[in-house]
Amino acid sequence: MKKKYNVAVVGATGAVGTKMIEMLEETSLPMNQVKLLASKRSAGKEVTFKGQTLVVEELVPESFTGIDIALFSAGGNISKQYAPEAVKRGAVVVDNTSHFRMDPEVPLVVPEVNPEALKRHKGIIANPNCSTIQMMVALEPIRQAYGLDRLIVSTYQAVSGAGINAMEELKTQALAYINGTPADKLEANILPSGGDKKHYPIAFNALPQIDVFAEADYTYEEWKMINETKKIMEDDSIKVVATCVRIPVLSGHSESIYIEVKEEGSDVSKIKDLIAKAPGAILQDDPSQQIYPQALASIDRKETFVGRIRQDIDIDKGYHMWVVSDNLLKGAAWNSVQIAETLHEMDLVRV
Ligand code: A2P
């Protein structure tokens, strides 16, 4: 086991990359050097890390020489092109994009749920989709106790999941609208999806499209939640369906989840007990005191918050819940750094 690692952050100036740097400031991972990489546009930019000034460098294949762990969050195309370059130079890659997630050779890991999958890594580990991660943290203890027959999820997702520019777009549109610009005159260039033809305002709106449309009129975001759940839980028989919605919240994804368990014997208090004891989860569920998870309160927290747990009115084995987490932390930066910590603890920082 190596004593101290050289760590690179790819996309260090982005919404997730910035949070990765914050998580590295707090990590227990023994580190020697931290290298910050972004596009040519950001080269020379200074970032304070643990009281020291680090200078952002332009990403090139040679950036990875001497790097042990590379955290990627600069978009799928950058991961496609540069993750193999990093591995070739001996680095283990933790990739936050969707590019490698469904590759059977690449483990897709939520450390509280399937750390053992890390043993199969061949240099690249994928960080799941933000919405999938928080759902897995909440549901894995229930799956272990009672099995999961089906789940139906509707998401209420924050704009930071679409990057810094999307956050700016929300703020600009909100100000313009408050100052009298009519809704049909608000400028929109990014959401619902940078890769699609039309753009709509997100301020004071709800957009039932995240990423572009794909098979059977589900969006890619919805397919990610469906496919990634089955891969992480290693169970293709779980019936999963998702509706993903972008709302005008800066950070903190919320999810309304309906589940049906397989086995007999569950009830609301047992489900609450499982969540209360679940690693990485916090039960916030007291309707008499109006206690339930909220997006604003989840910001800068690493945990996943679960509440509004209710039995379905008609289905004995059906339960509803509200699950909230900071999409930039547990949904991205923290889960990636936590994977790096787990790799270190399992002595798997090697290609
Ligand atoms: P830069 O700031 O130099 O453009 P976000 O998801 O918040 O939009 O951030 C995307 C991140 O990916 C940023 O750090 C951005 O750097 C980085 N990035 C974008 N294009 C490239 C590229 N061609 N090479 C390296 N990094 C890139």
Side-chain angles (χ1 to χ4, degrees):
M1 190 181 288
K2 205 167 169 177
K3 272 230 299 282
K4 285 187 170 184
Y5 303 106
N6 294 328
V7 179
V9 177
V10 180
T13 51
V16 172
T18 308
K19 292 289 175 184
M20 282 172 165
I21 298 167
E22 276 179 41
M23 293 298 101
L24 288 174
E25 285 192 302
E26 297 173 16
T27 184
S28 60
L29 189 73
M31 289 183 301
N32 187 24
Q33 183 208 352
V34 172
K35 191 183 252 194
L36 305 183
L37 302 166
S39 79
K40 205 174 179 172
R41 296 179 290 275
S42 304
K45 206 173 153 189
E46 293 185 347
V47 175
T48 306
F49 181 79
K50 291 187 176 177
Q52 287 183 326
T53 302
L54 300 183
V55 180
V56 176
E57 297 172 35
E58 182 188 352
L59 172 67
V60 289
E62 294 71 32
S63 305
F64 299 103
T65 306
I67 295 296
D68 304 298
I69 301 172
L71 309 177
F72 275 67
S73 193
N77 285 333
I78 296 292
S79 293
K80 181 183 176 186
Q81 190 181 344
Y82 288 94
E85 297 289 346
V87 174
K88 206 159 79 184
R89 289 169 175 80
V92 176
V93 168
V94 183
D95 182 32
N96 191 55
T97 76
S98 62
H99 186 73
F100 295 103
R101 283 185 197 146
M102 295 314 295
D103 183 332
E105 299 278 292
V106 173
L108 183 66
V109 175
V110 181
E112 292 89 343
V113 177
N114 61 339
E116 292 297 306
L118 290 172
K119 290 182 180 163
R120 298 194 296 271
H121 90 76
K122 297 191 168 101
I124 301 177
I125 295 118
N127 196 73
N129 174 263
C130 43
S131 304
T132 313
I133 294 177
Q134 66 187 67
M135 184 163 80
M136 294 300 94
V137 171
L139 298 188
E140 174 63 9
I142 304 169
R143 189 193 69 82
Q144 279 182 21
Y146 301 108
L148 280 178
D149 183 37
R150 74 179 311 186
L151 55 104
I152 301 171
V153 56
S154 296
T155 69
Y156 302 66
Q157 294 182 226
V159 294
S160 55
I164 278 179
N165 295 337
M167 296 169 86
E168 289 309 314
E169 188 165 90
L170 167 58
K171 290 181 202 167
T172 308
Q173 289 169 354
L175 277 175
Y177 190 72
I178 286 165
N179 287 321
T181 305
D184 63 351
K185 294 282 184 299
L186 290 174
E187 194 180 324
N189 300 307
I190 298 170
L191 295 170
S193 167
D196 217 338
K197 296 176 289 295
K198 288 188 186 169
H199 301 293
Y200 303 117
I202 183 63
F204 305 101
N205 206 359
L207 296 171
Q209 180 191 352
I210 300 185
D211 212 329
V212 294
F213 283 93
E215 199 187 331
D217 287 346
Y218 286 80
T219 62
Y220 268 116
E221 186 81 352
E222 290 158 355
W223 277 115
K224 284 177 218 166
M225 291 193 79
I226 294 163
N227 294 329
E228 292 178 22
T229 295
K230 295 174 194 227
K231 179 167 174 176
I232 295 164
M233 290 185 158
E234 291 182 20
D235 185 353
D236 279 340
S237 74
I238 303 175
K239 304 175 195 93
V240 189
V241 77
T243 302
C244 293
V245 181
R246 189 81 69 187
I247 58 165
V249 155
L250 282 171
S251 271
H253 283 356
S254 305
E255 297 175 345
S256 168
I257 306 178
Y258 170 70
I259 60 167
E260 282 175 26
V261 298
K262 273 188 182 152
E263 314 292 334
E264 302 290 335
S266 63
D267 62 30
V268 166
S269 81
K270 287 177 182 162
I271 300 278
K272 285 187 183 177
D273 213 38
L274 287 169
I275 298 289
K277 293 185 186 131
I282 293 187
L283 180 70
Q284 286 184 331
D285 198 346
D286 186 353
S288 73
Q289 300 299 315
Q290 292 174 276
I291 303 287
Y292 38 75
Q294 296 176 45
L296 259 187
S298 77
I299 292 177
D300 285 338
R301 296 288 302 265
K302 296 185 180 112
E303 302 90 342
T304 295
F305 301 91
V306 187
R308 300 293 326 274
I309 299 173
R310 290 149 291 153
Q311 176 113 42
D312 187 72
I313 305 293
D314 300 300
I315 311 286
D316 283 350
K317 292 179 185 167
Y319 297 92
H320 299 265
M321 65 189 74
W322 183 248
V323 176
V324 177
S325 193
D326 184 336
N327 55 297
L328 295 180
L329 290 194
K330 185 56 186 165
W334 167 233
N335 200 68
S336 292
V337 171
Q338 203 185 8
I339 288 173
E341 288 180 2
T342 313
L343 284 168
H344 164 64
E345 283 154 20
M346 295 170 79
D347 195 16
L348 291 169
V349 186
R350 54 190 144 72
V351 179

